[in-house]
Amino acid sequence: MMERREKLYEGKAKILYATDDPDLVIQYFKDEATAFNALKKGVIENKGIYNNAISSTLFAWLEEQGVRTHFVRKLSDREMLVRRLRIIPIEVVARNIVAGSLAKRLGLAEGTPLPRPIVELYYKRDDLGDPMINEDHVAVLDLATAAEVRSMREQALEVNRRLSKYLEERGLRLIDFKLEFGRHKGGLLLGDEITPDGCRFWDIATAEKLDKDRFRRDLGGVEAAYQEVYRRICGGG
Ligand code: UDP
């Protein structure tokens, strides 16, 4: 049994709790949702349950594929046991199809396929609105070593290749997604979550958005979209 001890950190969508093992923490998934740097707030009914199940399935599968992640095991509906990381404050975004901020920045239509996947880095700083940064900024801010940045880019592209195929087999197009990495006992592990909160998934058959854009853009059917992604990935009802 893994006893839940004191709260270590509470974020917008998750809470981290200590355990009796200093190397392990419990990630608890909430139903709260935020968008536009927390200017928009809401609740997506049962999101925590869906996101915990989706993330647990994907992390376990990635581990089988040789990707090193923080995932240990799913503990309950909303709890996942993970290795404790010192998170690198960089959001690593990989993209296959133009959407969201890239559409705005480059003046391209949403849905335009990119000739090859691209990776972007953002400085994880809510007070600055998570600005996009490059390797020079990472170096002068001392956020990560050059080797760590290289490794995060490579892993993001590797996860993108594998996950795109996995999702395609389940009728989902992986448009783009955000990853976070952290240090653990001298190594770099994939952390955080892989869920419709931080990925864009479009139904291959209907082009319907099945991710947090339904919440961000008030498209309706938000819970149903998370449940549909859960069904396709976890095979549940
Ligand atoms: N993303 C995220 N957290 C952020 C910003 C982006 O998880 O703070 C994810 C987002 O869900 C999408 C991808 O990263 O899958 C690219 O997001 P984008 O830069 O287009 O920003 P957005 O349009 O979401 O503001």
Side-chain angles (χ1 to χ4, degrees):
M1 255 310 286
M2 253 315 138
E3 288 292 329
R4 193 161 106 184
R5 304 267 282 265
E6 76 274 15
K7 188 194 282 189
L8 297 172
Y9 172 80
E10 178 154 6
K12 285 167 275 186
K14 297 190 294 294
I15 307 173
L16 279 189
Y17 294 96
T19 67
D20 43 30
D21 183 336
D23 288 327
L24 298 175
V25 294
I26 291 170
Q27 205 168 228
Y28 177 96
F29 289 78
K30 303 191 286 185
D31 288 347
E32 275 75 17
T34 62
F36 313 118
N37 202 17
L39 278 168
K40 182 182 173 89
K41 291 190 173 81
V43 167
I44 301 172
E45 214 64 42
N46 298 317
K47 171 168 82 80
I49 296 170
Y50 297 134
N51 279 0
N52 187 33
I54 293 165
S55 226
S56 293
T57 301
L58 293 179
F59 278 134
W61 176 78
L62 284 170
E63 284 279 346
E64 283 170 24
Q65 307 286 302
V67 179
R68 298 182 62 209
T69 81
H70 68 158
F71 181 72
V72 179
R73 67 176 182 271
K74 187 172 183 263
L75 292 176
S76 69
D77 266 9
R78 291 175 180 275
E79 293 171 317
M80 174 193 291
L81 185 65
V82 298
R83 295 177 186 90
R84 189 172 192 166
L85 301 180
R86 282 166 299 125
I87 284 284
I88 294 174
I90 298 175
E91 300 193 335
V92 182
V93 169
R95 303 179 181 272
N96 300 301
I97 310 263
V98 173
S101 72
L102 186 66
K104 287 213 183 77
R105 191 177 320 113
L106 300 187
L108 295 170
E110 241 192 8
T112 308
L114 295 164
R116 62 170 179 82
I118 62 170
V119 176
E120 298 169 347
L121 308 176
Y122 294 85
Y123 186 17
K124 205 170 137 65
R125 273 281 298 265
D126 281 342
D127 58 332
L128 301 177
D130 296 344
M132 186 157 83
I133 54 174
N134 66 24
E135 281 87 342
D136 280 350
H137 302 112
V138 173
V140 297
L141 293 172
D142 199 21
L143 303 180
T145 66
E148 283 173 330
V149 174
R150 206 176 318 120
S151 172
M152 289 191 290
R153 277 186 176 282
E154 281 168 10
Q155 288 187 68
L157 290 171
E158 180 68 16
V159 169
N160 182 51
R161 273 190 292 277
R162 294 182 184 278
L163 198 55
S164 292
K165 181 164 176 287
Y166 176 98
L167 293 169
E168 202 169 310
E169 289 163 1
R170 289 157 178 80
L172 296 171
R173 179 96 58 225
L174 181 58
I175 304 302
D176 57 32
F177 61 97
K178 184 261 297 180
L179 298 179
E180 293 183 26
F181 295 85
R183 303 178 184 110
H184 179 86
K185 296 182 173 172
L188 196 63
L189 302 183
L190 177 59
D192 196 44
E193 62 180 290
I194 303 180
T195 68
D197 274 7
C199 303
R200 287 193 169 95
F201 301 128
W202 293 0
D203 190 315
I204 289 176
T206 66
E208 198 186 358
K209 292 176 173 35
L210 295 174
D211 54 57
K212 201 162 97 175
D213 273 345
R214 301 206 74 83
F215 169 78
R216 292 188 189 101
R217 303 177 188 187
D218 295 316
L219 299 177
V222 186
E223 188 196 342
Y226 280 73
Q227 186 182 46
E228 183 59 25
V229 172
Y230 164 75
R231 279 205 196 98
R232 304 248 188 128
I233 292 174
C234 308

